[in-house]
Amino acid sequence: MHGAETPEAAAAIRETYDTRVMKAIAVAARADLGKVAPYASVVDRILFDARAPKDATRPGGLGVPFDWNILEGLDLAKPFVLSGGLNMGNLAQAVRIARPHGVDVSSGVERALGVKDANMIRAFIGAARGAEASLRTATANAG
């Protein structure tokens, strides 16, 4: 869900269709995290995305990252996914700061607007696996 759906709508979809539900939360400031609580008991995952610019015609960060430090140390009872402006060049830093359970990419693997590039997708997956391995190593060394 990447729109203005209410927690009640999310719960109804989950129950009616017996499916998992992920809700996108637009983030620009730490105060935006207050939007998570009403969804916490009715969705399976939260996706944090950059807030769309005021003149945007569609939701999402539209290839622009938000300040991942907003999510640093976030302790959710739910897994969360990080989205918004991710690409091979910033993925490792984003994962190190936010420690998401997953990442979402769109424009970060496009060679032109709306045109995905298979080589960029493969490279992004490689970078994601490398970031995950680095995070596991850092966690093991800290504990």
Side-chain angles (χ1 to χ4, degrees), residues 16 21 43-44 59 70 79 84 90 106 111 113 120 129:
T16 301
V21 174
V43 301
D44 301 283
I70 293 169
N90 65 17
S106 185
R111 61 181 144 86
L113 184 62
M120 291 174 75
R129 288 180 176 151

Side-chain angles (χ1 to χ4, degrees), residues 54-120:
K54 290 189 185 294
D55 60 346
T57 58
R58 55 196 161 102
L62 307 177
V64 179
F66 64 95
D67 180 2
W68 305 308
N69 291 297
I70 293 169
L71 302 178
E72 192 171 18
L74 182 64
D75 185 21
L76 287 180
K78 302 258 176 222
F80 71 91
V81 176
L82 183 62
S83 187
L86 296 176
N87 58 53
M88 282 183 19
N90 65 17
L91 181 61
Q93 179 184 15
V95 168
R96 188 178 67 253
I97 292 169
R99 298 180 179 261
H101 295 86
V103 294
D104 174 69
V105 65
S106 185
S107 61
V109 294
E110 292 178 349
R111 61 181 144 86
L113 184 62
V115 181
K116 303 297 186 239
D117 181 293
N119 290 326
M120 291 174 75

Side-chain angles (χ1 to χ4, degrees), residues 135-143:
L135 189 58
R136 269 188 302 199
T137 300
T139 301
N141 290 339

